[in-house]
Amino acid sequence: MMLRTAVLLFALLVSGPVLAADAVFPTGSHIGLVPPAGMTAAKTFPGFEDRERKAAIVVSQVPGQAYDQFLKAMNSGAINLPGVSNAKREVLLTESGAAHLVVGDQEAEGTKFRKWLMITRRSITGQGSDANFSFIVTAQVPAEASDVYPEDAIRKALASATLRAAIPPEEILDTMPFRVTERANFEGVRLMAPGQAVMLTERAGPTEIHKVEPLVMVSVGVGAPTQPSERASFAQNVLRSIQGFNNLKLASQDQIRVGGQPTDEIRLEGQAAADDTDVVIVQWIRFGVGGFIRIVGVSPKAQWSENFTRFRQIRDGINARE
């Protein structure tokens, strides 16, 4: 029962007096911290939890615009967090700098929680990375668990947060239910959903993708149709969820086989919403028994031919784990 909207996830987080070597990094996360005693790494979200007591800490990167909007609201004196009462803000001083902090109370499904919401922007350098990095941490503790996780313990955990410049690709890929045996010179691997989806990018590190760059998303799903006649419409419906593009038009759709499995291929053409760059999108859905593997490649139209070759190399190197 973590916060249900992005604004409720806002947290200001700075590295604290502990050494980075003491921090625990959730799989695929550039952000780590020393969790309070009793919390362990979560399996379904980036962060830490005590499932029995319903206490949790979530860490996440956010777009730079979200950070700017949050600070603008803070500076105007507005603290408008839906569902959170008694919200108070403060500047939290740590050994590495000042942090904005919002603390309040919330009730969800009959349980009262204490909430800590924090956000910051930091520079991350080293191991090929040199970028500004906006990230958040949220913490929630039920009222009945306040003796186990008192205010001081949560603040100490938040103050211990630190960053790492690089994430070993294998750390992310080894947790997926599929193998990616060919990356076609896509250096970056980003976790999109634990145990379900990854993104391959041209560059490694946490750098924000500010313009259209070639990228590949690989994910798994369940509930695929069993009848071949239903696969084309299913693939179209799945592709409708893609965001960040305008004026998308169907260029082609074909039924092929990849690795001996029936596969639907769709190509779309349109423009990137950010800067109107012409783009081409390809989606492959490989159908299995009761599930599917989805591969989506996005490329500027000007580089489509060379990137489509790379996309196919990645597609042909993806296999379900035994």
Side-chain angles (χ1 to χ4, degrees):
M1 294 168 302
M2 298 307 298
L3 301 178
R4 299 182 184 275
T5 64
V7 69
L8 289 180
L9 287 174
F10 286 163
L12 177 63
L13 168 66
V14 295
S15 59
V18 300
L19 297 176
D22 296 327
V24 179
F25 290 88
T27 299
S29 175
H30 288 278
I31 312 158
L33 54 80
V34 180
M39 285 194 190
T40 58
K43 296 182 179 180
T44 58
F45 62 85
F48 308 90
E49 65 179 341
D50 181 337
R51 299 191 68 180
E52 181 180 353
R53 296 185 175 89
K54 300 180 181 180
I57 296 175
V58 177
V59 301
S60 181
Q61 184 177 357
V62 295
Q65 302 95 311
Y67 171 82
D68 293 336
Q69 291 170 5
F70 182 82
L71 285 192
K72 183 178 180 180
M74 290 277 289
N75 291 335
S76 68
I79 306 178
N80 183 19
L81 303 176
V84 176
S85 60
N86 303 318
K88 297 180 180 180
R89 63 174 183 169
E90 63 182 89
V91 174
L92 178 67
L93 297 178
T94 73
E95 291 189 7
S96 58
H100 299 280
L101 174 66
V102 176
V103 183
D105 301 307
Q106 187 177 36
E107 184 171 345
E109 299 181 12
T111 301
K112 295 182 179 180
F113 292 91
R114 186 68 168 167
K115 301 285 186 176
W116 293 260
L117 312 175
M118 300 173 285
I119 186 169
T120 193
R121 176 182 289 161
R122 296 281 304 281
S123 295
I124 183 170
T125 59
Q127 296 180 288
S129 295
D130 186 5
N132 289 325
F133 189 81
S134 301
F135 54 98
I136 62 177
V137 168
T138 69
Q140 68 171 27
V141 174
E144 58 267 26
S146 60
D147 290 342
V148 180
Y149 300 106
E151 181 92 12
D152 290 347
I154 297 300
R155 287 174 177 263
K156 182 178 179 181
L158 298 178
S160 73
T162 188
L163 298 176
R164 57 176 171 175
I167 302 171
E170 294 75 16
E171 176 182 312
I172 300 174
L173 295 176
D174 286 351
T175 67
M176 293 294 122
F178 49 80
R179 293 185 177 88
V180 181
T181 61
E182 173 58 63
R183 303 218 313 266
N185 295 322
F186 281 85
E187 299 295 332
V189 178
R190 302 189 184 194
L191 182 67
M192 297 179 67
Q196 291 184 306
V198 296
M199 177 189 294
L200 308 183
T201 60
E202 288 273 63
R203 296 168 294 156
T207 307
E208 290 186 29
I209 300 175
H210 294 290
K211 60 181 180 179
V212 176
E213 301 176 7
L215 57 85
V216 178
M217 294 170 283
V218 185
S219 60
V220 294
V222 296
T226 57
Q227 298 300 318
S229 60
E230 300 174 348
R231 290 169 181 161
S233 59
F234 175 84
Q236 290 182 21
N237 289 333
V238 171
L239 193 52
R240 286 193 179 99
S241 65
I242 196 166
Q243 299 180 355
F245 304 95
N246 296 325
N247 305 316
L248 290 176
K249 298 180 180 179
L250 179 66
S252 65
Q253 183 170 13
D254 297 292
Q255 303 298 311
I256 61 177
R257 296 189 75 84
V258 175
Q261 291 183 300
T263 302
D264 183 276
E265 177 186 292
I266 296 179
R267 298 189 201 181
L268 300 178
E269 294 185 358
Q271 289 81 43
D275 57 8
D276 292 328
T277 299
D278 290 333
V279 298
V280 181
I281 301 171
V282 62
Q283 172 186 270
W284 290 287
I285 292 185
R286 285 170 49 181
F287 295 96
V289 179
F292 60 91
I293 296 177
R294 182 191 185 204
I295 305 158
V296 177
V298 180
S299 170
K301 190 173 184 178
Q303 290 86 45
W304 167 248
S305 180
E306 61 188 86
N307 285 325
F308 183 58
T309 298
R310 299 169 70 195
F311 296 161
R312 287 188 299 176
Q313 291 174 339
I314 294 170
R315 178 201 70 185
D316 294 344
I318 294 175
N319 300 290
R321 294 186 184 275
E322 298 292 333

PDB file of all heavy atoms in Angstrom, residues 137-167:
ATOM      1  N   VAL A 137      12.840   8.965  -2.421  1.00  0.00           N
ATOM      2  CA  VAL A 137      12.678   7.877  -1.472  1.00  0.00           C
ATOM      3  C   VAL A 137      11.401   8.143  -0.694  1.00  0.00           C
ATOM      4  O   VAL A 137      11.135   9.264  -0.295  1.00  0.00           O
ATOM      5  CB  VAL A 137      13.865   7.781  -0.496  1.00  0.00           C
ATOM      6  CG1 VAL A 137      13.530   6.826   0.647  1.00  0.00           C
ATOM      7  CG2 VAL A 137      15.122   7.333  -1.197  1.00  0.00           C
ATOM      8  N   THR A 138      10.591   7.147  -0.534  1.00  0.00           N
ATOM      9  CA  THR A 138       9.413   7.260   0.319  1.00  0.00           C
ATOM     10  C   THR A 138       9.501   6.202   1.396  1.00  0.00           C
ATOM     11  O   THR A 138      10.050   5.120   1.168  1.00  0.00           O
ATOM     12  CB  THR A 138       8.106   7.045  -0.471  1.00  0.00           C
ATOM     13  OG1 THR A 138       8.036   5.682  -0.877  1.00  0.00           O
ATOM     14  CG2 THR A 138       8.056   7.930  -1.695  1.00  0.00           C
ATOM     15  N   ALA A 139       8.973   6.513   2.550  1.00  0.00           N
ATOM     16  CA  ALA A 139       8.939   5.541   3.644  1.00  0.00           C
ATOM     17  C   ALA A 139       7.556   5.563   4.266  1.00  0.00           C
ATOM     18  O   ALA A 139       6.922   6.613   4.367  1.00  0.00           O
ATOM     19  CB  ALA A 139       9.994   5.865   4.695  1.00  0.00           C
ATOM     20  N   GLN A 140       7.071   4.400   4.654  1.00  0.00           N
ATOM     21  CA  GLN A 140       5.793   4.311   5.357  1.00  0.00           C
ATOM     22  C   GLN A 140       5.918   3.306   6.493  1.00  0.00           C
ATOM     23  O   GLN A 140       6.531   2.252   6.340  1.00  0.00           O
ATOM     24  CB  GLN A 140       4.667   3.880   4.428  1.00  0.00           C
ATOM     25  CG  GLN A 140       4.772   2.450   3.913  1.00  0.00           C
ATOM     26  CD  GLN A 140       3.511   2.024   3.179  1.00  0.00           C
ATOM     27  OE1 GLN A 140       2.792   2.850   2.635  1.00  0.00           O
ATOM     28  NE2 GLN A 140       3.242   0.721   3.160  1.00  0.00           N
ATOM     29  N   VAL A 141       5.353   3.662   7.626  1.00  0.00           N
ATOM     30  CA  VAL A 141       5.362   2.791   8.799  1.00  0.00           C
ATOM     31  C   VAL A 141       3.979   2.843   9.441  1.00  0.00           C
ATOM     32  O   VAL A 141       3.497   3.927   9.799  1.00  0.00           O
ATOM     33  CB  VAL A 141       6.426   3.223   9.826  1.00  0.00           C
ATOM     34  CG1 VAL A 141       6.308   2.399  11.105  1.00  0.00           C
ATOM     35  CG2 VAL A 141       7.822   3.094   9.229  1.00  0.00           C
ATOM     36  N   PRO A 142       3.303   1.712   9.601  1.00  0.00           N
ATOM     37  CA  PRO A 142       2.008   1.713  10.291  1.00  0.00           C
ATOM     38  C   PRO A 142       2.171   2.186  11.733  1.00  0.00           C
ATOM     39  O   PRO A 142       3.220   1.986  12.360  1.00  0.00           O
ATOM     40  CB  PRO A 142       1.576   0.244  10.237  1.00  0.00           C
ATOM     41  CG  PRO A 142       2.360  -0.351   9.112  1.00  0.00           C
ATOM     42  CD  PRO A 142       3.666   0.375   9.101  1.00  0.00           C
ATOM     43  N   ALA A 143       1.125   2.804  12.250  1.00  0.00           N
ATOM     44  CA  ALA A 143       1.186   3.331  13.613  1.00  0.00           C
ATOM     45  C   ALA A 143       1.536   2.244  14.621  1.00  0.00           C
ATOM     46  O   ALA A 143       2.308   2.475  15.559  1.00  0.00           O
ATOM     47  CB  ALA A 143      -0.155   3.983  13.972  1.00  0.00           C
ATOM     48  N   GLU A 144       1.012   1.026  14.411  1.00  0.00           N
ATOM     49  CA  GLU A 144       1.270  -0.042  15.378  1.00  0.00           C
ATOM     50  C   GLU A 144       2.701  -0.580  15.296  1.00  0.00           C
ATOM     51  O   GLU A 144       3.122  -1.346  16.166  1.00  0.00           O
ATOM     52  CB  GLU A 144       0.286  -1.195  15.176  1.00  0.00           C
ATOM     53  CG  GLU A 144       0.292  -1.826  13.800  1.00  0.00           C
ATOM     54  CD  GLU A 144      -0.729  -1.203  12.870  1.00  0.00           C
ATOM     55  OE1 GLU A 144      -1.075  -0.024  13.079  1.00  0.00           O
ATOM     56  OE2 GLU A 144      -1.187  -1.912  11.945  1.00  0.00           O
ATOM     57  N   ALA A 145       3.465  -0.163  14.254  1.00  0.00           N
ATOM     58  CA  ALA A 145       4.858  -0.595  14.140  1.00  0.00           C
ATOM     59  C   ALA A 145       5.836   0.524  14.491  1.00  0.00           C
ATOM     60  O   ALA A 145       7.039   0.394  14.269  1.00  0.00           O
ATOM     61  CB  ALA A 145       5.146  -1.109  12.731  1.00  0.00           C
ATOM     62  N   SER A 146       5.322   1.616  15.038  1.00  0.00           N
ATOM     63  CA  SER A 146       6.188   2.763  15.330  1.00  0.00           C
ATOM     64  C   SER A 146       7.228   2.463  16.395  1.00  0.00           C
ATOM     65  O   SER A 146       8.281   3.104  16.436  1.00  0.00           O
ATOM     66  CB  SER A 146       5.333   3.966  15.753  1.00  0.00           C
ATOM     67  OG  SER A 146       4.572   3.659  16.916  1.00  0.00           O
ATOM     68  N   ASP A 147       6.976   1.497  17.261  1.00  0.00           N
ATOM     69  CA  ASP A 147       7.985   1.125  18.255  1.00  0.00           C
ATOM     70  C   ASP A 147       9.154   0.384  17.600  1.00  0.00           C
ATOM     71  O   ASP A 147      10.300   0.515  18.050  1.00  0.00           O
ATOM     72  CB  ASP A 147       7.363   0.239  19.339  1.00  0.00           C
ATOM     73  CG  ASP A 147       6.400   1.002  20.236  1.00  0.00           C
ATOM     74  OD1 ASP A 147       6.483   2.253  20.244  1.00  0.00           O
ATOM     75  OD2 ASP A 147       5.573   0.359  20.905  1.00  0.00           O
ATOM     76  N   VAL A 148       8.857  -0.382  16.551  1.00  0.00           N
ATOM     77  CA  VAL A 148       9.905  -1.118  15.832  1.00  0.00           C
ATOM     78  C   VAL A 148      10.676  -0.194  14.897  1.00  0.00           C
ATOM     79  O   VAL A 148      11.895  -0.306  14.759  1.00  0.00           O
ATOM     80  CB  VAL A 148       9.288  -2.282  15.036  1.00  0.00           C
ATOM     81  CG1 VAL A 148      10.372  -3.060  14.283  1.00  0.00           C
ATOM     82  CG2 VAL A 148       8.520  -3.207  15.964  1.00  0.00           C
ATOM     83  N   TYR A 149       9.945   0.745  14.259  1.00  0.00           N
ATOM     84  CA  TYR A 149      10.558   1.678  13.316  1.00  0.00           C
ATOM     85  C   TYR A 149      10.245   3.112  13.743  1.00  0.00           C
ATOM     86  O   TYR A 149       9.399   3.797  13.144  1.00  0.00           O
ATOM     87  CB  TYR A 149      10.044   1.421  11.902  1.00  0.00           C
ATOM     88  CG  TYR A 149      10.343   0.033  11.405  1.00  0.00           C
ATOM     89  CD1 TYR A 149       9.338  -0.930  11.305  1.00  0.00           C
ATOM     90  CD2 TYR A 149      11.644  -0.340  11.064  1.00  0.00           C
ATOM     91  CE1 TYR A 149       9.612  -2.207  10.862  1.00  0.00           C
ATOM     92  CE2 TYR A 149      11.930  -1.626  10.622  1.00  0.00           C
ATOM     93  CZ  TYR A 149      10.908  -2.553  10.535  1.00  0.00           C
ATOM     94  OH  TYR A 149      11.193  -3.831  10.101  1.00  0.00           O
ATOM     95  N   PRO A 150      10.902   3.595  14.781  1.00  0.00           N
ATOM     96  CA  PRO A 150      10.648   4.956  15.257  1.00  0.00           C
ATOM     97  C   PRO A 150      11.179   5.992  14.270  1.00  0.00           C
ATOM     98  O   PRO A 150      11.919   5.678  13.331  1.00  0.00           O
ATOM     99  CB  PRO A 150      11.410   5.008  16.581  1.00  0.00           C
ATOM    100  CG  PRO A 150      12.500   3.994  16.427  1.00  0.00           C
ATOM    101  CD  PRO A 150      11.921   2.891  15.590  1.00  0.00           C
ATOM    102  N   GLU A 151      10.796   7.229  14.493  1.00  0.00           N
ATOM    103  CA  GLU A 151      11.189   8.334  13.622  1.00  0.00           C
ATOM    104  C   GLU A 151      12.694   8.385  13.415  1.00  0.00           C
ATOM    105  O   GLU A 151      13.171   8.547  12.281  1.00  0.00           O
ATOM    106  CB  GLU A 151      10.709   9.660  14.236  1.00  0.00           C
ATOM    107  CG  GLU A 151      11.023  10.894  13.411  1.00  0.00           C
ATOM    108  CD  GLU A 151       9.909  11.264  12.457  1.00  0.00           C
ATOM    109  OE1 GLU A 151       8.798  10.715  12.583  1.00  0.00           O
ATOM    110  OE2 GLU A 151      10.165  12.102  11.573  1.00  0.00           O
ATOM    111  N   ASP A 152      13.469   8.238  14.461  1.00  0.00           N
ATOM    112  CA  ASP A 152      14.920   8.330  14.345  1.00  0.00           C
ATOM    113  C   ASP A 152      15.489   7.248  13.437  1.00  0.00           C
ATOM    114  O   ASP A 152      16.442   7.497  12.681  1.00  0.00           O
ATOM    115  CB  ASP A 152      15.579   8.241  15.724  1.00  0.00           C
ATOM    116  CG  ASP A 152      15.333   9.480  16.573  1.00  0.00           C
ATOM    117  OD1 ASP A 152      14.871  10.496  16.004  1.00  0.00           O
ATOM    118  OD2 ASP A 152      15.593   9.419  17.789  1.00  0.00           O
ATOM    119  N   ALA A 153      14.913   6.043  13.498  1.00  0.00           N
ATOM    120  CA  ALA A 153      15.416   4.940  12.673  1.00  0.00           C
ATOM    121  C   ALA A 153      15.172   5.208  11.194  1.00  0.00           C
ATOM    122  O   ALA A 153      16.038   4.935  10.346  1.00  0.00           O
ATOM    123  CB  ALA A 153      14.753   3.628  13.085  1.00  0.00           C
ATOM    124  N   ILE A 154      14.008   5.757  10.855  1.00  0.00           N
ATOM    125  CA  ILE A 154      13.707   6.053   9.452  1.00  0.00           C
ATOM    126  C   ILE A 154      14.591   7.185   8.947  1.00  0.00           C
ATOM    127  O   ILE A 154      15.151   7.119   7.844  1.00  0.00           O
ATOM    128  CB  ILE A 154      12.218   6.415   9.284  1.00  0.00           C
ATOM    129  CG1 ILE A 154      11.345   5.222   9.667  1.00  0.00           C
ATOM    130  CG2 ILE A 154      11.949   6.844   7.852  1.00  0.00           C
ATOM    131  CD1 ILE A 154      11.571   3.974   8.836  1.00  0.00           C
ATOM    132  N   ARG A 155      14.741   8.230   9.754  1.00  0.00           N
ATOM    133  CA  ARG A 155      15.592   9.347   9.329  1.00  0.00           C
ATOM    134  C   ARG A 155      17.042   8.896   9.150  1.00  0.00           C
ATOM    135  O   ARG A 155      17.727   9.343   8.217  1.00  0.00           O
ATOM    136  CB  ARG A 155      15.514  10.482  10.355  1.00  0.00           C
ATOM    137  CG  ARG A 155      14.192  11.246  10.306  1.00  0.00           C
ATOM    138  CD  ARG A 155      14.096  12.262  11.436  1.00  0.00           C
ATOM    139  NE  ARG A 155      12.863  13.031  11.355  1.00  0.00           N
ATOM    140  CZ  ARG A 155      12.765  14.230  10.805  1.00  0.00           C
ATOM    141  NH1 ARG A 155      13.841  14.814  10.293  1.00  0.00           N
ATOM    142  NH2 ARG A 155      11.603  14.865  10.762  1.00  0.00           N
ATOM    143  N   LYS A 156      17.503   8.014   9.991  1.00  0.00           N
ATOM    144  CA  LYS A 156      18.868   7.506   9.854  1.00  0.00           C
ATOM    145  C   LYS A 156      19.023   6.730   8.562  1.00  0.00           C
ATOM    146  O   LYS A 156      20.048   6.849   7.866  1.00  0.00           O
ATOM    147  CB  LYS A 156      19.209   6.621  11.055  1.00  0.00           C
ATOM    148  CG  LYS A 156      20.633   6.081  11.026  1.00  0.00           C
ATOM    149  CD  LYS A 156      20.922   5.258  12.272  1.00  0.00           C
ATOM    150  CE  LYS A 156      22.343   4.704  12.239  1.00  0.00           C
ATOM    151  NZ  LYS A 156      22.626   3.878  13.440  1.00  0.00           N
ATOM    152  N   ALA A 157      18.022   5.933   8.211  1.00  0.00           N
ATOM    153  CA  ALA A 157      18.075   5.177   6.964  1.00  0.00           C
ATOM    154  C   ALA A 157      18.105   6.110   5.758  1.00  0.00           C
ATOM    155  O   ALA A 157      18.885   5.928   4.825  1.00  0.00           O
ATOM    156  CB  ALA A 157      16.884   4.228   6.872  1.00  0.00           C
ATOM    157  N   LEU A 158      17.248   7.134   5.770  1.00  0.00           N
ATOM    158  CA  LEU A 158      17.218   8.080   4.663  1.00  0.00           C
ATOM    159  C   LEU A 158      18.543   8.817   4.532  1.00  0.00           C
ATOM    160  O   LEU A 158      19.047   9.050   3.436  1.00  0.00           O
ATOM    161  CB  LEU A 158      16.078   9.075   4.852  1.00  0.00           C
ATOM    162  CG  LEU A 158      14.666   8.482   4.871  1.00  0.00           C
ATOM    163  CD1 LEU A 158      13.640   9.587   5.107  1.00  0.00           C
ATOM    164  CD2 LEU A 158      14.359   7.748   3.587  1.00  0.00           C
ATOM    165  N   ALA A 159      19.121   9.184   5.667  1.00  0.00           N
ATOM    166  CA  ALA A 159      20.389   9.918   5.650  1.00  0.00           C
ATOM    167  C   ALA A 159      21.548   9.058   5.175  1.00  0.00           C
ATOM    168  O   ALA A 159      22.596   9.576   4.809  1.00  0.00           O
ATOM    169  CB  ALA A 159      20.693  10.463   7.043  1.00  0.00           C
ATOM    170  N   SER A 160      21.370   7.740   5.164  1.00  0.00           N
ATOM    171  CA  SER A 160      22.461   6.844   4.742  1.00  0.00           C
ATOM    172  C   SER A 160      22.494   6.625   3.245  1.00  0.00           C
ATOM    173  O   SER A 160      23.374   5.926   2.734  1.00  0.00           O
ATOM    174  CB  SER A 160      22.302   5.483   5.436  1.00  0.00           C
ATOM    175  OG  SER A 160      21.219   4.745   4.882  1.00  0.00           O
ATOM    176  N   ALA A 161      21.537   7.197   2.508  1.00  0.00           N
ATOM    177  CA  ALA A 161      21.419   6.925   1.086  1.00  0.00           C
ATOM    178  C   ALA A 161      22.662   7.364   0.330  1.00  0.00           C
ATOM    179  O   ALA A 161      23.288   8.367   0.638  1.00  0.00           O
ATOM    180  CB  ALA A 161      20.198   7.623   0.525  1.00  0.00           C
ATOM    181  N   THR A 162      22.983   6.602  -0.708  1.00  0.00           N
ATOM    182  CA  THR A 162      24.137   6.901  -1.538  1.00  0.00           C
ATOM    183  C   THR A 162      23.846   6.444  -2.955  1.00  0.00           C
ATOM    184  O   THR A 162      22.843   5.778  -3.221  1.00  0.00           O
ATOM    185  CB  THR A 162      25.402   6.211  -0.992  1.00  0.00           C
ATOM    186  OG1 THR A 162      26.549   6.674  -1.713  1.00  0.00           O
ATOM    187  CG2 THR A 162      25.302   4.700  -1.104  1.00  0.00           C
ATOM    188  N   LEU A 163      24.722   6.803  -3.883  1.00  0.00           N
ATOM    189  CA  LEU A 163      24.552   6.451  -5.286  1.00  0.00           C
ATOM    190  C   LEU A 163      25.716   5.611  -5.772  1.00  0.00           C
ATOM    191  O   LEU A 163      26.826   5.704  -5.261  1.00  0.00           O
ATOM    192  CB  LEU A 163      24.474   7.717  -6.149  1.00  0.00           C
ATOM    193  CG  LEU A 163      23.329   8.687  -5.893  1.00  0.00           C
ATOM    194  CD1 LEU A 163      23.496   9.911  -6.786  1.00  0.00           C
ATOM    195  CD2 LEU A 163      21.989   8.025  -6.144  1.00  0.00           C
ATOM    196  N   ARG A 164      25.456   4.806  -6.769  1.00  0.00           N
ATOM    197  CA  ARG A 164      26.527   4.134  -7.494  1.00  0.00           C
ATOM    198  C   ARG A 164      26.409   4.522  -8.963  1.00  0.00           C
ATOM    199  O   ARG A 164      25.315   4.657  -9.506  1.00  0.00           O
ATOM    200  CB  ARG A 164      26.456   2.619  -7.329  1.00  0.00           C
ATOM    201  CG  ARG A 164      25.140   1.967  -7.755  1.00  0.00           C
ATOM    202  CD  ARG A 164      25.220   0.460  -7.633  1.00  0.00           C
ATOM    203  NE  ARG A 164      23.908  -0.175  -7.842  1.00  0.00           N
ATOM    204  CZ  ARG A 164      23.724  -1.484  -7.892  1.00  0.00           C
ATOM    205  NH1 ARG A 164      24.761  -2.297  -7.743  1.00  0.00           N
ATOM    206  NH2 ARG A 164      22.521  -1.992  -8.084  1.00  0.00           N
ATOM    207  N   ALA A 165      27.558   4.707  -9.594  1.00  0.00           N
ATOM    208  CA  ALA A 165      27.575   5.217 -10.959  1.00  0.00           C
ATOM    209  C   ALA A 165      27.139   4.173 -11.973  1.00  0.00           C
ATOM    210  O   ALA A 165      26.519   4.499 -12.987  1.00  0.00           O
ATOM    211  CB  ALA A 165      28.970   5.729 -11.311  1.00  0.00           C
ATOM    212  N   ALA A 166      27.452   2.919 -11.736  1.00  0.00           N
ATOM    213  CA  ALA A 166      27.166   1.885 -12.723  1.00  0.00           C
ATOM    214  C   ALA A 166      26.496   0.689 -12.070  1.00  0.00           C
ATOM    215  O   ALA A 166      26.752   0.370 -10.907  1.00  0.00           O
ATOM    216  CB  ALA A 166      28.460   1.443 -13.410  1.00  0.00           C
ATOM    217  N   ILE A 167      25.631   0.042 -12.829  1.00  0.00           N
ATOM    218  CA  ILE A 167      24.980  -1.192 -12.404  1.00  0.00           C
ATOM    219  C   ILE A 167      25.438  -2.300 -13.341  1.00  0.00           C
ATOM    220  O   ILE A 167      25.283  -2.176 -14.554  1.00  0.00           O
ATOM    221  CB  ILE A 167      23.451  -1.071 -12.465  1.00  0.00           C
ATOM    222  CG1 ILE A 167      22.955   0.078 -11.588  1.00  0.00           C
ATOM    223  CG2 ILE A 167      22.785  -2.377 -12.037  1.00  0.00           C
ATOM    224  CD1 ILE A 167      21.488   0.387 -11.776  1.00  0.00           C
TER     225      ILE A 167
END
